[in-house]
Structures are given as structure tokens and as C-alpha cells.
């Protein structure tokens, strides 16, 4: 039986040989043992210091060790381009190592046996990624890929949008489920004659709705369904709950059928912060901020300077959420982000 690393599994301990070897044989055995230990020590040293030597020599090879609970190092910075990672398993169980872009697995090495090393070579774009460190329940590490000043920014393709779109779909699904639960609570409270509980559930549903608004940008049907639900939640009356429930179900069903790309996300976020409309509510600001955070890794890949400005906006925003200042800066940088992440004409037609 073989383990994933290609080594035969030891099912029983080897029998101990009780022999009276000659001194010459004993010396030969000791010499062999020293050579083996020396070779193992050299290998461990090389794996542990490969990243430093590679950086000094301009190499793109990096060493990383994984255990059940962590990576060593937990944060790794590498230049953009082709990179090779030597992943060593220093735990007592079979583990895997992954590079993640949001919820998407970009690269992985599975079934790394205890004490074994596996090599992973890949092409990396500038940005910040997560790496798995041992068990899935363990905190993730960070892989920072720095852009080269001598290379042009990469051209985005439709495949680059898959990760952000999948991550945003997961966000929308979670928030849509929370909205549905609040509407169900409203319907039950209204049916049971509990006006206080019904009012609380209505306010909760109304507060959850703005987070879904950016997904309706440029979609007349979806925006109309959103408006119908928003109006129903703002209304009053003894029979309002049933109408809200129908409107919510129709809107949530239509939303679940949409695939929202970064261009739509950003158009929706920009509209929430537009000075031409009413002042942005805390819920509107939170929705726009979440989209900016979600698209930061992709923005870093094509325009690191813009990504840096957006990060600065997000840091300043909690203490400066008035119409001017950081809020205005974020709105302007979201417009620049939308332009930077626009797909080429050929990709939009594909």
C-alpha cells in the first residue's frame, strides 16, 4: 500500500536484528548514518532558506512549511509572474495547500504526506490572495503578489471576473436569505396580531434591502421589482404583510437568477453614493464599501496605485462619512475603478 507521496506504507515495525557485527561493520554503519543525517539536514536547510536565497539571486522559488494550524511564513510576498513554491508538510497528517482568490481555488497541491514536500509552479498576477494553512478550520495565510514596474498592467478577461462574481453571488444569497427571514417574521407577526413584533420585522427588512440594491444597476426588470418591494415596506396597513411577502419572493427569485459582474456592482455602488440623489444612508455606504473591498484584489492586479487610494478611502470613511471628504473620494475612486476593470470590447462580445 502506498501513501500519496509515493512512499510504501509501513504496516509493521521491522524486526530488530540481534547480531554480533564486527567493529569494521559497525563503523561502516555509523558512517552511512552520518551521511544520511547530513543529507537530511542539508535538505531541511535548503527548504527553510530557499525563499531568502531565491530573493537574493532573483529566483522565483519560495519555500513554505505547513502544519495542522499554520503556515511558515504565514504571509509571503512574491513578485508577479511565474513563481514556484516548495511546500513541506511538517505535521503528522496528510494535508493540502491552496492559493485562493476569494472563493475560487486558483492552484492547489493535494495529499502532501507528513514529512514530504511538493512543488507548485504557477503564473501569478499582482494582488493579494489567501492561502490555506493546514486544516480548513485554521486561519488562512496571505500571499501578496507585487506588480513589476517594468511590465505593463495585464489585460482582463471574462475569466478574471468569475471569482468576484461568484463571491458576490454568495454575499447576495446570504443577504437575500436574511431579507426573506425578516419578511417571514413580519408575515407571522402580522397574522398573530403582534403589532410590535411586526413593526420590528418591517424595520429589519427595510434595513436589509439597500444591500441588494447595487445588483439591480442597469437591469430595468430587477430594479422595478426592487422598487415595488421598497414601496411595500414603506407602506402601512393591516393587510400590508401579505403584499410584502409576495413582492419579496418575486424579487428574490429574480435576483437569484442573475450573474452580477464587477461593472454592474460598481455602477450600483456609485449610484448609492451619487451626490445627485438623496444623501447616502449608513446602509447605502456599507453596501458600497463592501463592493469596494470585494474588488480590491482585482483592482490591485491592474492598477495598484488606484487600489491604494481606495484602501485609504475605506480607512478614512468610518470617521468621515459626511457628503464630502472620504465619502466623495470613495465615489470618485469607484468611478475610476469601474473604468480600470472594464472588459475589452472583444471580451464583452464573447
Amino acid at each position: 500500500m502506498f501513501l500519496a507521496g509515493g512512499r510504501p506504507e509501513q504496516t509493521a515495525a521491522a524486526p530488530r536484528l540481534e547480531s554480533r557485527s564486527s567493529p569494521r561493520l559497525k563503523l561502516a554503519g555509523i558512517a552511512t548514518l552520518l551521511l544520511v543525517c547530513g543529507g537530511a539536514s542539508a535538505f531541511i536547510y535548503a527548504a527553510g532558506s530557499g525563499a531568502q536565497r531565491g530573493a537574493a539571486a532573483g529566483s522565483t522559488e519560495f519555500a513554505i512549511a505547513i502544519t495542522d494550524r499554520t503556515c511558515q511564513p504565514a504571509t509571503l510576498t512574491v513578485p508577479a509572474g511565474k513563481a514556484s513554491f516548495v511546500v513541506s508538510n511538517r505535521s503528522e497528517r496528510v494535508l493540502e495547500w491552496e492559493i485562493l482568490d476569494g472563493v475560487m481555488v486558483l492552484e492547489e497541491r493535494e495529499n502532501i504526506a507528513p514529512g514530504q514536500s511538493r512543488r507548485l509552479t504557477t503564473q501569478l498576477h499582482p494582488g493579494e490572495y489567501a492561502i490555506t494553512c493546514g486544516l480548513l478550520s485554521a486561519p488562512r495565510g496571505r500571499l501578496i503578489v507585487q506588480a513589476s514596474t517594468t511590465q505593463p498592467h495585464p489585460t482582463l478577461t471574462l475569466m478574471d471576473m468569475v471569482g468576484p462574481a461568484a463571491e458576490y453571488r454568495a454575499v447576495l444569497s446570504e443577504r437575500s436569505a436574511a431579507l426573506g427571514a425578516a419578511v417571514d417574521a413580519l408575515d407571522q407577526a402580522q397574522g398573530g396580531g403582534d403589532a410590535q413584533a411586526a413593526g420590528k420585522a418591517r424595520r429589519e427588512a427595510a434595513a436589509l434591502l439597500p444591500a441588494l440594491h447595487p445588483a439591480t444597476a442597469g437591469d430595468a426588470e430587477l430594479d422595478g421589482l426592487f422598487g415595488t418591494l421598497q414601496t411595500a415596506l414603506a407602506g402601512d396597513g393591516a393587510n400590508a404583510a401579505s403584499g410584502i411577502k409576495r413582492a419579496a419572493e418575486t424579487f428574490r427569485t429574480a435576483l437569484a437568477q442573475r450573474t452580477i459582474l464587477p461593472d454592474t456592482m460598481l455602477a450600483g455602488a456609485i449610484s448609492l453614493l451619487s451626490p445627485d440623489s438623496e444623501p447616502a444612508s449608513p446602509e447605502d455606504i456599507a453596501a458600497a464599501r463592501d463592493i469596494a473591498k470585494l474588488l480590491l484584489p482585482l483592482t490591485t492586479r491592474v492598477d495598484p496605485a488606484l487600489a491604494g487610494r481606495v484602501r485609504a478611502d475605506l480607512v478614512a470613511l468610518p470617521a468621515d462619512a459626511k457628503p464630502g471628504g472620504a465619502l466623495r473620494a470613495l465615489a470618485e475612486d469607484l468611478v475610476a475603478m469601474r473604468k480600470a476593470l472594464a472588459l475589452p470590447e472583444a471580451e464583452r462580445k464573447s
Side-chain angles (χ1 to χ4, degrees):
M1 185 173 181
F2 286 82
L3 294 176
R7 299 180 304 167
E9 183 179 10
Q10 297 179 354
T11 55
R16 185 176 178 180
L17 298 178
E18 298 289 348
S19 62
R20 297 180 179 179
S21 304
S22 67
R24 181 177 300 177
L25 288 176
K26 289 182 179 180
L27 288 174
I30 293 172
T32 301
L33 181 61
L34 288 173
L35 286 173
V36 171
C37 292
S41 299
F43 174 79
I44 293 171
Y45 173 79
S49 61
Q52 290 83 350
R53 295 200 318 275
S59 173
T60 56
E61 182 171 300
F62 302 88
I64 185 165
I66 55 175
T67 66
D68 292 354
R69 299 182 179 180
T70 187
C71 292
Q72 298 172 355
T75 299
L76 194 60
T77 301
V78 304
K82 192 173 184 180
S84 183
F85 301 91
V86 178
V87 186
S88 303
N89 184 353
R90 295 182 182 173
S91 74
E92 296 182 355
R93 65 176 73 196
V94 175
L95 296 175
E96 62 182 36
W97 189 69
E98 297 175 334
I99 302 175
L100 305 167
D101 185 2
V103 297
M104 299 289 293
V105 178
L106 296 182
E107 296 285 354
E108 64 180 337
R109 278 293 175 268
E110 299 180 306
N111 300 324
I112 307 175
Q116 295 292 299
S117 297
R118 297 281 299 277
R119 182 182 298 275
L120 185 153
T121 302
T122 186
Q123 189 78 20
L124 293 172
H125 297 294
E128 185 171 322
Y129 305 91
I131 52 177
T132 55
C133 293
L135 302 178
L136 295 179
S137 58
R140 291 177 177 176
R142 297 168 62 209
L143 176 62
I144 302 170
V145 182
Q146 295 181 332
S148 170
T149 57
T150 60
Q151 294 179 347
H153 296 318
T155 301
L156 295 176
T157 67
L158 193 58
M159 286 301 298
D160 293 316
M161 307 297 171
V162 172
E167 193 166 354
Y168 193 51
R169 178 185 285 275
V171 170
L172 291 177
S173 178
E174 181 180 352
R175 292 175 178 174
S176 177
L179 173 65
V183 170
D184 287 343
L186 168 60
D187 188 53
Q188 293 174 7
Q190 190 92 38
D194 190 339
Q196 184 176 359
K200 179 181 178 181
R202 183 193 295 268
R203 290 190 297 272
E204 182 180 350
L208 289 167
L209 189 58
L212 303 174
H213 198 195
T216 69
D219 189 325
E221 179 187 2
L222 198 60
D223 190 54
L225 294 174
F226 177 90
T228 299
L229 177 56
Q230 189 176 45
T231 301
L233 284 170
D236 202 356
N239 299 321
S242 59
I244 291 173
K245 188 174 179 66
R246 286 194 299 272
E249 289 175 350
T250 304
F251 171 69
R252 292 179 61 222
T253 299
L255 180 63
Q257 297 171 350
R258 300 316 199 258
T259 296
I260 313 299
L261 295 178
D263 184 74
T264 300
M265 299 179 208
L266 289 166
I270 293 165
S271 67
L272 292 179
L273 305 183
S274 174
D276 298 331
S277 60
E278 297 181 1
S281 67
E283 292 80 13
D284 292 337
I285 296 172
R289 185 180 64 238
D290 290 346
I291 289 173
K293 288 181 179 179
L294 189 151
L295 294 175
L296 266 176
L298 192 59
T299 306
T300 302
R301 184 186 304 180
V302 298
D303 193 338
L306 173 59
R309 295 202 304 270
V310 173
R311 288 191 181 91
D313 297 338
L314 296 175
V315 170
L317 191 57
D320 185 12
K322 54 183 181 294
L327 192 59
R328 180 177 178 179
L330 177 60
E332 293 174 349
D333 286 334
L334 288 177
V335 173
M337 187 184 288
R338 187 183 181 194
K339 182 178 179 181
L341 300 184
L343 284 172
E345 187 67 24
E347 285 290 326
R348 289 200 295 269
K349 292 180 178 179
S350 62

